[in-house]
Amino acid sequence: MATAAVIFIPFMIYDRGYFLFYGDFNVQQVPFYQMCHDAIRSGSWRWSWTTDLGANFVGSYSFYLLGSPFFWLTLPFPSAAVPYLMGPLYILKFGCACMTGCIYLQRYCRSGNLAVLGGMLYAFSGFSVYNVFFNHFHEAIVFFPLFLWAMDEYMYHRRRGVFALCTFLCCFVNYYFFVGQVVFMIIYWLVRFFSNDPAYTKISKKDFGLLWVEAVLGVACSCVLLLPTLCAITQNNRINNPSNGWNALLYDSNQRYLHILSCFFFPPDLPARANFTPDSNSQWASLGAWLPLFSMSGVIAALQAKNKRWYKTLITILFVMALVPVLNSAFQLFNASYYARWYYMLTLMMSLCTITSLQREDVDWGRAIKWTLAITLIIGLSIGLMPTISTNSTTNTKTTTYGLEKYPTRFWAYVAIALVSLLLLVIVFKYYKNHKRLFLRMATGGVAIITVVYSLFYITTGKTQSDDTHNEIIPYALNGGKDISLPSDGKQFCRIDVYDGMDNLPMYWKRPTIQAFHSIVPGSIMEFYPTVGVTRDVGSRPGVEVYAIRSLLSCRWLFDPMNHGQDFIDPNTSGTRMPGWKYYATQNGSKIYENQYFIPMGFSYDKYITRTEYNTLPEANRSLALLKAIVVEDTAVQKAKEGGLTHYDKIDSASFAEEAYFADCKARAETACSSFTTDSKGFSAEATSSKDRLVFFSVPYEKGWSATVNGSAAEIVKVNVGFMAVKIPSGKAEIRFEYRTPGLKPGIAVTAVSFLLLGGYVYATDTTGRWRKKKLPEPPKTSE
């Protein structure tokens, strides 16, 4: 924790108490923590109105933080304190990762100090420092060693219940990483079994069966989060992308192989700024595995040693899996999107190889360090000095440049850190044979020194890529939008737009928005946006060309940050980049524009078209067509007619000019509900109508919604490709929508029953009435 504090505190001082980085960390991790903190404390944990167009709170945030005990530590603090806690929580996470790594590794060490050294290597590996960018990845780094420790406890001592509890913990903390951990655990067990490890081969059928019972009970105990999560993510189109064809055998970029190799010998590249291999298409892939001070020398030493060891077989298998796409994808259910987000498991095995090699007499460390140095130099000099000859087509002259890296200064700094690390290792090894205690102290200190140096360099270079924290994020985002005052505040629900600004800026202000950077949102949002020509993968960022959806989605205000991006005023026309917007005021560092054709939430149509008819329209006209007629699924035509709608004949020949758009907006606004209010359970609206009609709400269609009209249950109709509508009668109608998280109640029941079964299992299988240790041979404190 002291080492981590030396890394983070200087940045916290510089950023006035906050820890800010760049990219995803600034625009996701910080606002997500604060928004979820506020939602739970206020009881608004069912539906999030500030996540995209609205989202299942549990399903959307179980991946990011809901299972993290570090997040729950923020709850006693007030909302304003949460952004200040990001740095201290990181210090705590790194300390905990070292501790849990030590807990696992100490079984294989002669001394606790050696296990601490291994824990340092694991906690401050290139993977951990790289993923400062992704705050929620560190939970997996912290808890995975306990998973392995629990497996060993069962296999060595038949300790009942511990493996089930650690299975629950890892699954509950993050389901995505748990999938990879299960794959690793199966490989780990099989390798040790077929390597004739006594603790793993001397297992009865009964004990083997009980091990599976514990695994199943552990997963079942996590169902309070797991079931709601499964209900949410199965709607996500990103999960259906299996490896196939040649892409399952070979990476499509030859540079990626070098990127994978270099990540073991050099400190990590910035996530969005691949340097060693600029065209490897590995941005954000979490390619980092370098061990400070030792680099690959301990792993090479272990592989070169003559005696056979199970971890040599295991780490060889893991390296092969890293190089074969389909095997690499096994750690994420064979999804073809390239990620190396399982490398923290690899770095733990690399740390194990390093510390076990330090206590073996048959290891030639000098040879291993020479091999590490040679490979480091070959990679560094090959990339850094490789000539490239280019020919000017106009003058027919040839120019020679040297170096394949994208950022030379940063590249040579990485090379220097890697070489200085090895030089310091050589100096430390002078005390290896005759002063073992001093060697361990110097090695641990060396790891801390190199860690601080490369981490400070990494975070500093990352901060140079970020938005201006002192001119934008701190004064205008982290202030919670306290300087924003709009006439609709507290009176009318509306969404806001941000033109070419920082992602998720409205989330900092606790305001609903149409701009969002979030990977896990309702499937209906991902269904809707592509139909109007907007790509929806990890974010909702509709461009100005689909201006009509602003009115469709009840967007009244647009913020144009003055210190970020382009100006909303087009310099060529001196007008706004979207029709119908007018300058309102300058507040909180942004110019604010008002939508003159704003449509309040809950409005109606006179006509309908079917989904098939909608799909036949040119993509550019669809967003405009959504203001002319409501789109119903082909099977729901009768419901449209019962809602007082008539068919819009010849929609393809309708006018889609700006004037027609303005007229459509006015017509829809005239039918809007007289009130629309949100609360912790859903929303309420009031409307008055002279006839039966369908009322449309631009709230994502989800199975958890139920509706009543004037106190009677009402059917929710899926309309406009992913949104909801409900039929109201003539006269005054009181509309109420409530949301219940799908899978939450069954998940709570399964979790409760599973914990009871787990308690009964431990009691029944432990004849002493407590967790007992059944003595089996401990591994020799040398290398097993």
Side-chain angles (χ1 to χ4, degrees), residues 59 175 226-240 520-523 703:
Y175 61 89
L226 188 60
L227 283 185
T229 295
L230 290 175
C231 292
I233 64 172
T234 50
Q235 307 173 39
N236 196 308
N237 54 27
R238 297 179 70 201
I239 67 173
N240 187 23
I520 305 166
V521 296
K703 292 182 178 179

Side-chain angles (χ1 to χ4, degrees), residues 307-324:
N307 290 349
K308 186 177 181 181
R309 298 289 186 268
W310 63 265
Y311 51 78
K312 289 173 60 176
T313 304
L314 176 59
I315 207 160
T316 301
I317 291 172
L318 296 177
F319 285 144
V320 171
M321 294 185 75
L323 295 173
V324 180

Side-chain angles (χ1 to χ4, degrees), residues 552-585:
L552 177 78
L553 302 177
S554 299
C555 178
R556 180 173 177 180
W557 306 102
L558 181 145
F559 284 72
D560 181 16
M562 294 185 293
N563 294 332
H564 194 290
Q566 293 182 333
D567 197 307
F568 186 57
I569 298 297
D570 190 336
N572 297 321
T573 64
S574 298
T576 57
R577 295 180 186 269
M578 292 190 292
W581 292 82
K582 181 181 179 181
Y583 174 78
Y584 172 75

Side-chain angles (χ1 to χ4, degrees), residues 707-725:
T708 60
V709 176
N710 294 330
S712 300
E715 181 183 4
I716 297 174
V717 183
K718 182 181 179 181
V719 297
N720 285 351
V721 197
F723 298 102
M724 300 190 294

Side-chain angles (χ1 to χ4, degrees), residues 561-641:
M562 294 185 293
N563 294 332
H564 194 290
Q566 293 182 333
D567 197 307
F568 186 57
I569 298 297
D570 190 336
N572 297 321
T573 64
S574 298
T576 57
R577 295 180 186 269
M578 292 190 292
W581 292 82
K582 181 181 179 181
Y583 174 78
Y584 172 75
T586 298
Q587 299 176 2
N588 205 54
S590 295
K591 295 178 182 178
I592 303 176
Y593 296 82
E594 184 176 9
N595 184 359
Q596 301 298 296
Y597 297 93
F598 164 71
I599 308 175
M601 286 285 283
F603 56 88
S604 300
Y605 297 79
D606 297 319
K607 297 182 181 296
Y608 75 90
I609 60 172
T610 66
R611 179 70 176 273
T612 299
E613 291 171 320
Y614 172 80
N615 291 339
T616 59
L617 290 172
E619 191 176 84
N621 293 340
R622 291 176 189 169
S623 60
L624 293 160
L626 288 169
L627 292 168
K628 295 180 179 296
I630 196 169
V631 177
V632 297
E633 300 300 312
D634 291 359
T635 56
V637 171
Q638 185 59 37
K639 295 176 184 177
K641 293 179 179 179

Side-chain angles (χ1 to χ4, degrees), residues 358 428-429 431-432 435-443:
L358 286 174
V428 170
F429 256 94
Y431 302 92
Y432 176 60
H435 305 280
K436 287 294 178 68
R437 183 172 295 180
L438 179 60
F439 166 79
L440 269 181
R441 291 176 179 174
M442 293 184 67

